[in-house]
Amino acid sequence: MNFKDEILQGIPAQLPNPKSYDLEVNHAPKRKKILSEEEEILALKNALRYFEPEHHATLLPEFKKELEEYGRIYMYRFRPDYKIYARPINEYPGKSEQAKAIMLMIQNNLDHAVAQHPHELITYGGNGAVFQNWAQYRLIMSYLAQMTNEQTLVVYSGHPLGLFPSHKDAPRVVVTNGMMIPNYSKPDDWEKFNALGVTQYGQMTAGSYMYIGPQGIVHGTTITVLNGFRKIKKSPKGGLFVTSGLGGMSGAQPKAGNIAGCVTVCGEVNKKATHTRHTQGWVDEVIDNLDTLATRVKAALAAKETVSIAWDGNIVEVWEHFDKENIHIDLGSDQTSLHNPWAGGYYPVGLSYEESVEMMANNPTKFKEEVQRSLKRHATAINKHTAKGTYFFDYGNAFLLEASRAGADIMAENGIDFKYPSYVQDIMGPMCFDYGFGPFRWVCASGDPKDLAKTDQIACEVLEEIMKNSPEEITQQMQDNITWIKGAQENKLVVGSQARILYADAEGRMKIASAFNKNISEGTIGTVILGRDHHDVSGTDSPYRETSNIYDGSRFTADMAIHNVIGDSFRGATWVSIHNGGGVGWGEVINGGFGMVLDGSKDAQRRLESMLFWDVNNGIARRSWARNEEAVFAIKREMDRNPTLKVTLPNFVDDSLFKN
């Protein structure tokens, strides 16, 4: 059976042969046992409903074994035999170009070069899932191959509810992930309901089919590192950035450090993740001895080298050893997946990777104690460095939140705030999000690197033209992006699909997209798929990250994200998604995303103008109402450009009125 036929068949009528557990693949950790006997029966019934009754007797013991051994039912038997990667769009079966584009993006998320745990359908973060099981994957790909532009596919946490009649301007797919009743949104709730097979943690771009490998955040990470050094008034050359995490998105950190021009040390305990990033060129060197590491870093700093080094071990050891060796750390952070602290997101110092994996599955109570012990030790080591001048920031991965819950010394004197800011509070919020700058990304559906090079050129030309008339307030942001896009090819950022990201405001996004659409209509380039990270101006309500610089008391509300996805859906997005959970944890954030296919048509032009304008300015308006001065400036500028935009502006109150 060829690729197209296998896609079209969906769940095969005849059972495929069982598949062996591939030890060469980076697998998800075993999830802890959380279901009662009665609930385990329910989970098995839920899994078997995807298959004809004649197969239940064969599949039941197999699924029961998966649930016992891995804590989830993945249906490994149904993994396709074909290689999963982002094929050129014309290789997909189907009646709708938009649906084919979505198939391309789904397969990119599950590409072994891209996904963290591909056989468990997890893209990054330890639990950021595209689907819950392989039956869902097969059904959804089959539905997309059958779909017309008069239908919409509805997806409930990985499960395809079905194809419904709609119209050409409706989204082709609407995705929800983990949308729980609020009182059922604690970490153990996720464990339970995910094990039952009724919900999933879609993270951000994992469950919305918009991940583009570590490049997806390397640009934002580069901006963060550059502006971190600007904040401490030091050149990156001869500067040291220490952080941790090389799996999934955090693999962007050493590449960003190289682009910024500093020395980067990034700790990682999973040797497979380190090997992947090293072989892909995302990190330059790997060192597994602390004395060797200290000697290498001292030499690199003295020579003002640009180099990234993976520490093959626990990052806590580095913080402590560098304190002993009196190595000054300029910038410090952490990007381990602490939104998922008890199931593989953070590995405690003093335990090997293998010991941690065994303990988290078989003695989760003890493992939690070890993680919290490690977080306290981790924070103590960081505090010693900040006392000597290190600028430490939380990378929005819930490091400070979980450290505080562990009882670590990271609280400010008022007992309410953390000692250290979120990078959004200090850098990304006031410098980017409030002005409307966020992660605009695109994928060349042809799969042709020449198309990507052409789109880089188009985007650069558009930005340079816009910059001629840009106000002083956003000159630095514009220049950073022009520098970025000019160096994109030489930095070899592509992993998986032929994709690119840069930070742009509404004007930049609309003008770049319009230029793409024009070139597509002229045959200069092929179809382009637009998207963004949820980590953006308006897609996400996250009080410890994206909206951490909202100070009017509304940062714990989620109206903005909900309005964002509703507005995108009727303004022309090709697919939309809304999730509970993201980079800071289940129950800690609501975030929404979109995808949009540009095919060179007038319809595509109409949609991009309507949707991209709303997608950004919804967030600027909310940030403006919170009295963020940069956002007030930005929304006034948008109202001047577009007389049909009328936004409620805040009045500022004199603080002296409240003084006795």
Side-chain angles (χ1 to χ4, degrees), residues 409-426:
D409 179 18
I410 48 78
M411 301 305 296
E413 289 184 8
N414 63 15
I416 299 171
D417 299 316
F418 298 131
K419 280 185 181 181
Y420 307 114
S422 156
Y423 75 117
V424 173
Q425 286 177 288
D426 258 20

Side-chain angles (χ1 to χ4, degrees), residues 60-76:
L60 177 58
E62 191 174 307
F63 290 171
K64 186 177 181 182
K65 183 180 178 183
E66 287 186 10
L67 189 60
E68 289 172 352
E69 291 193 2
Y70 312 119
R72 298 291 186 273
I73 300 170
Y74 297 115
M75 308 180 186
Y76 289 123

Side-chain angles (χ1 to χ4, degrees), residues 289-292 294-295 298 315-329 377 380-385 388 390:
N289 178 278
L290 285 169
D291 290 330
T292 304
T295 300
K298 288 175 182 176
I315 193 62
V316 179
E317 299 166 321
V318 175
W319 283 100
E320 292 175 341
H321 192 70
F322 281 16
D323 175 52
K324 188 176 84 171
E325 292 289 317
N326 205 29
I327 296 174
H328 179 68
I329 298 171
R377 184 170 157 185
T380 297
I382 289 167
N383 289 341
K384 289 180 179 179
H385 283 274
K388 294 186 284 188
T390 296

Side-chain angles (χ1 to χ4, degrees), residues 457-471:
Q457 178 190 341
I458 293 167
C460 187
E461 290 171 355
V462 169
L463 292 177
E464 287 178 329
E465 185 61 31
I466 294 173
M467 190 174 173
K468 291 177 182 177
N469 298 305
S470 291

Side-chain angles (χ1 to χ4, degrees), residues 420-485:
Y420 307 114
S422 156
Y423 75 117
V424 173
Q425 286 177 288
D426 258 20
I427 298 171
M428 299 303 286
M431 298 190 71
C432 292
F433 293 166
D434 285 352
Y435 285 115
F437 284 83
F440 178 60
R441 51 177 69 171
W442 65 89
V443 175
C444 296
S446 66
D448 188 346
K450 292 178 182 176
D451 273 8
L452 185 60
K454 178 65 176 175
T455 57
D456 285 344
Q457 178 190 341
I458 293 167
C460 187
E461 290 171 355
V462 169
L463 292 177
E464 287 178 329
E465 185 61 31
I466 294 173
M467 190 174 173
K468 291 177 182 177
N469 298 305
S470 291
E472 183 181 349
E473 287 84 349
I474 61 172
T475 300
Q476 184 67 67
Q477 292 90 324
M478 295 297 298
Q479 187 56 59
D480 282 348
N481 279 285
I482 290 168
T483 302
W484 161 267
I485 202 69

